[in-house]
Amino acid sequence: MADTLLEVRNLCHQFKLGRKAVIRAVDHVSFDLKRGEIFGLVGESGSGKSTLARCIMNICKPQSGQILYDGIDTTDRQAFRKNKTRLQQERQLIFQDSASALNQRMKLCDIVSEPMSIHHIKPKRGSLREEAAFQLHYVGMDRSYLDKYPSEISGGQRQRVAIARAVSMEPKLLVADEPIASLDVSIQAQIINLFKHLRAEHNFSILFIAHDLAMVEYLCDRVGVMYRGSLVEMAPAKELFANPLHPYTKALLSAIPLPDPILERKRRRIDFDALEFSREGTFTEVLPGHFLLQKEAAE
């Protein structure tokens, strides 16, 4: 479809734990990401969210399945090589660990402007330094940081530099893996509003991976819930938070803290028994736009 930018079809990726044992990090996951859409991906640590993001960005090679970016099969080696420059420019990834994502020997000015330098893109503001200053200002940092090194700034500031570097290319697809996890609340709000601006002004498509469910509800158009490598539920954000159907989703949403201490003490959390849940089943549309992993009926 013309309005679909990213298509993930039956994607599987596993890691070997020994000669025979393997762990299925991504297990038959399928979803679409439309142009200009912000798609949230939530789930507990180890559910496969980051591995899925790395497969989409060709950092990890999946064992099976297909990933189509704007009609390009990025899992096909020949197609990827043919469109490598375009894919590198139009897709950007914000890593969860900003400390390891930034070169500690480079100044922030060079870090932010490096993608434009590599791809020989002419800066809109006249020079790479001015372009870097503009991008840093975009994420709430002034030009006094241009000549600093990553070790001289805080973790939250490093994450903002990583975000500035990614958005400097004005990508069509931005994959954000826990981009606000290390930021304080005021900066989190600033970055979330920045993502909204990027979608509104530049029509970015964003795959937003996060643990903060309140932020996901506020920012995202649709939300997918992952559990042990499987996508167990997917729906528009308002629908998912108002009407969760899968037991794991219900348990996940019941854990969102409430700002009122009285209501927080009275609230009943929903328990989820992992032993009673099987990942085998069919991902079915049970309501318009609302998909659920259901067990196949016994004959």
Side-chain angles (χ1 to χ4, degrees):
M1 294 176 63
D3 65 339
T4 300
L5 180 67
L6 179 71
E7 298 175 65
V8 177
R9 293 284 173 263
N10 210 30
L11 195 71
C12 297
H13 186 69
Q14 61 188 27
F15 295 103
K16 291 184 177 181
L17 299 180
R19 291 185 178 181
K20 296 182 180 180
V22 297
I23 181 171
R24 293 182 293 177
V26 179
D27 191 11
H28 295 92
V29 170
S30 299
F31 69 94
D32 296 337
L33 179 61
K34 296 178 175 58
R35 298 179 191 275
E37 180 184 33
I38 302 179
F39 185 90
L41 199 61
V42 300
E44 61 191 7
S45 296
S47 60
K49 305 184 302 298
S50 295
T51 301
L52 176 59
R54 282 161 171 74
C55 288
I56 290 172
M57 295 299 294
N58 292 101
I59 297 174
C60 294
K61 184 179 179 182
Q63 271 72 39
S64 62
Q66 193 176 37
I67 302 171
L68 297 175
Y69 169 80
D70 205 11
I72 302 169
D73 184 356
T74 62
T75 56
D76 180 79
R77 183 176 298 180
Q78 186 174 357
F80 177 79
R81 286 180 177 176
K82 183 179 179 180
N83 298 277
K84 185 177 180 179
T85 300
R86 178 189 170 189
L87 292 170
Q88 289 177 337
Q89 292 179 0
E90 295 185 4
R91 306 178 308 162
Q92 294 294 320
L93 172 63
I94 300 171
F95 290 95
Q96 181 177 356
D97 183 6
S98 59
S100 60
L102 305 181
N103 189 330
Q104 301 297 313
R105 297 184 178 182
M106 293 176 65
K107 294 181 179 180
L108 302 189
C109 172
D110 299 323
I111 290 174
V112 174
S113 62
E114 185 180 24
M116 291 178 284
S117 178
I118 290 174
H119 294 287
H120 307 288
I121 295 174
K122 186 177 180 181
K124 293 181 179 179
R125 279 95 198 162
S127 68
L128 291 174
R129 185 176 180 84
E130 288 303 314
E131 187 68 32
F134 174 82
Q135 298 298 339
L136 286 178
H137 176 74
Y138 213 46
V139 296
M141 299 174 68
D142 59 52
R143 63 186 306 119
S144 65
Y145 289 91
L146 286 173
D147 293 317
K148 292 184 179 294
Y149 290 90
S151 60
E152 298 178 300
I153 60 178
S154 68
Q157 289 171 332
R158 285 196 296 268
Q159 188 66 296
R160 281 187 275 171
V161 171
I163 293 171
R165 177 178 61 183
V167 302
S168 68
M169 295 295 292
E170 297 187 0
K172 291 183 179 180
L173 173 62
L174 182 63
V175 178
D177 186 4
E178 297 280 357
I180 60 173
S182 60
L183 307 180
D184 60 48
V185 176
S186 61
I187 301 302
Q188 283 184 3
Q190 182 179 347
I191 297 303
I192 290 299
N193 288 328
L194 170 62
F195 284 146
K196 277 184 167 288
H197 170 77
L198 293 171
R199 191 264 294 276
E201 296 295 324
H202 303 288
N203 204 36
F204 281 20
S205 296
I206 302 174
L207 177 60
F208 185 77
I209 300 171
H211 283 104
D212 191 329
L213 298 175
M215 285 294 186
V216 170
E217 182 181 15
Y218 172 73
L219 176 67
C220 300
D221 302 304
R222 288 190 300 146
V223 180
V225 181
M226 287 193 71
Y227 174 71
R228 293 190 177 180
S230 298
L231 196 61
V232 298
E233 189 166 0
M234 180 174 65
K238 291 182 179 179
E239 165 71 15
L240 184 80
F241 281 82
N243 183 33
L245 299 178
H246 195 277
Y248 178 70
T249 307
K250 292 178 181 179
L252 201 63
L253 297 186
S254 74
I256 301 176
L258 299 175
D260 188 325
I262 297 176
L263 294 177
E264 176 68 19
R265 284 194 294 269
K266 293 180 179 179
R267 185 180 57 156
R268 184 179 67 88
R269 288 181 172 84
I270 299 174
D271 293 327
F272 174 69
D273 189 352
L275 297 177
E276 294 181 1
F277 172 67
S278 172
R279 288 181 293 167
E280 304 299 327
T282 306
F283 206 51
T284 309
E285 187 173 15
V286 294
L287 293 169
H290 196 148
F291 294 82
L292 184 69
L293 184 64
Q294 295 182 312
K295 294 181 180 179
E296 297 179 358
E299 296 182 358

